[in-house]
Amino acid sequence: MRLFNALVLLPLLSLLTAPLCAQVTFGPSGEEGTPLRRQAWRVPSPDTDIAARALLFRPPGAGPFRLAVIAHATTQNVLRRAQMPQPEYRALAAFLVARGFAVLVPERLGHGATGGRYVEDQGGCDDADYARSGRVTAEEISRALDHLRKQDFIRSDAAIVIGHSAGGWGALALAKAEAKAISAIIVFAPGRGGHANDEPNRICAPHTLLAAAAEFGKAARVSVTWLVAANDSYFPPEFSKSLADAFRNGGGKADFRALPAVGSEGHWMIETEAGVKAASSELDRALRATLVKQP
């Protein structure tokens, strides 16, 4: 009887323990589609048990293409993060693909379908640790970028990073990278703590944010193009310019540009066709500065 019970339990135990032994796989997780050869991917995250979801867009042909990584915004609200749709930035992706880039839009840990821990938490409003949250976001961007750079259709040099809001804040922390690996960083209204208590034009611990920007500037080696819409109520142009000045005073290189108002809330301009159109000349100017010969 004991032998029989053991034989019955063995298959059940194997089912229970199988997920613990399952390996996380990275790479494409579906076929190419439209538009722009849109394809779902899985990329590394800070949690070795979770593959972050991502979307990849690319031009026709085999490449190798320069890589552009778009880092999305975030929120401290747990429910809003869980309900976030897969970030796509389709208009911006189309703009970049038309200029020869393969475009990766990774979803970071703690958001949407990727799930998992929210590792880039800034903490409370009064005691926010903006420097730490920016560095963690930068690490997540870097993991996705490094994985794509290993693909044979991607060039290993001259990548660009485009960050939006908290994604832009992480991109500023990533400006310490080697300029050969990342040729330019473009940020749209970078920052953390905007809309404190859901109130427009109110920022949590602004002096702490300014100090963290100066800290990122000390280590920066990659030039930054800093863009903000006139009607951004999360990080208004006047405050955004102060952030850019703090980054520059720390030692970083930042070209700050205020753009015209777009829509009802300029903070989300880069998610729309109208916003990309409004920013197109500044985007092209930033990209022209990164032109390098293909090996």
Side-chain angles (χ1 to χ4, degrees):
M1 181 61 70
R2 289 179 181 174
L3 179 60
F4 175 78
N5 288 338
L7 292 173
V8 170
L9 285 172
L10 279 173
L12 294 175
L13 289 172
S14 66
L15 289 173
L16 290 172
T17 57
L20 298 176
C21 301
Q23 289 187 338
V24 177
T25 57
F26 306 118
S29 58
E31 298 297 321
E32 290 183 17
T34 56
L36 309 171
R37 300 177 68 183
R38 181 184 187 276
Q39 188 177 33
W41 271 63
R42 300 289 185 270
V43 296
S45 81
D47 190 329
T48 56
D49 294 327
I50 296 178
R53 301 191 180 214
L55 289 176
L56 179 69
F57 304 89
R58 47 184 150 162
F65 309 111
R66 289 180 66 188
L67 177 64
V69 177
I70 301 175
H72 63 77
T74 190
T75 172
Q76 287 290 107
N77 186 288
V78 176
L79 183 59
R80 291 177 190 169
R81 280 201 313 272
Q83 294 175 339
M84 278 181 64
Q86 175 77 46
E88 194 153 339
Y89 294 90
R90 186 176 293 188
L92 179 57
F95 178 93
L96 294 165
V97 168
R99 286 152 181 78
F101 287 88
V103 182
L104 181 74
V105 190
E107 184 177 69
R108 298 194 299 278
L109 200 65
H111 297 80
T114 295
R117 300 172 297 129
Y118 185 50
V119 295
E120 56 191 288
D121 189 350
Q122 70 194 37
C125 186
D126 295 332
D127 59 349
D129 191 341
Y130 294 126
R132 190 206 70 83
S133 64
R135 288 191 294 266
V136 173
T137 304
E139 180 189 350
E140 294 193 76
I141 298 169
S142 184
R143 284 174 184 268
L145 188 152
D146 290 344
H147 179 74
L148 259 290
R149 216 168 3 210
K150 296 173 184 175
Q151 311 306 312
D152 57 8
F153 60 90
I154 296 292
R155 285 177 54 175
S156 61
D157 65 335
I160 66 169
V161 174
I162 300 180
H164 174 208
S165 194
W169 186 246
L172 291 178
L174 193 61
K176 66 180 182 180
E178 290 286 348
K180 183 179 179 181
I182 299 177
S183 60
I185 289 173
I186 303 170
V187 290
F188 285 84
R192 301 275 315 209
H195 272 213
N197 297 321
D198 285 334
E199 293 183 28
N201 302 304
R202 184 181 175 195
I203 301 168
C204 278
H207 295 298
T208 305
L209 197 64
L210 289 164
E215 182 179 331
F216 293 159
K218 289 179 183 178
R221 289 184 283 187
V222 180
S223 296
V224 174
T225 297
W226 196 306
L227 306 175
V228 61
N231 61 331
D232 190 310
S233 69
Y234 285 76
F235 306 104
E238 185 176 353
F239 181 78
S240 288
K241 186 177 185 304
S242 297
L243 269 185
D245 287 342
F247 182 80
R248 283 190 291 241
N249 291 338
K253 295 180 180 179
D255 185 3
F256 177 83
R257 304 291 177 104
L259 301 175
V262 178
S264 60
E265 173 53 70
H267 193 67
W268 310 110
M269 64 174 295
I270 201 54
E271 296 184 352
T272 68
E273 288 187 18
V276 173
K277 183 177 180 180
S280 60
S281 61
E282 295 296 342
L283 287 169
D284 273 328
R285 182 185 56 80
L287 294 179
R288 279 196 299 270
T290 72
L291 290 178
V292 291
K293 293 182 179 180
Q294 182 169 336

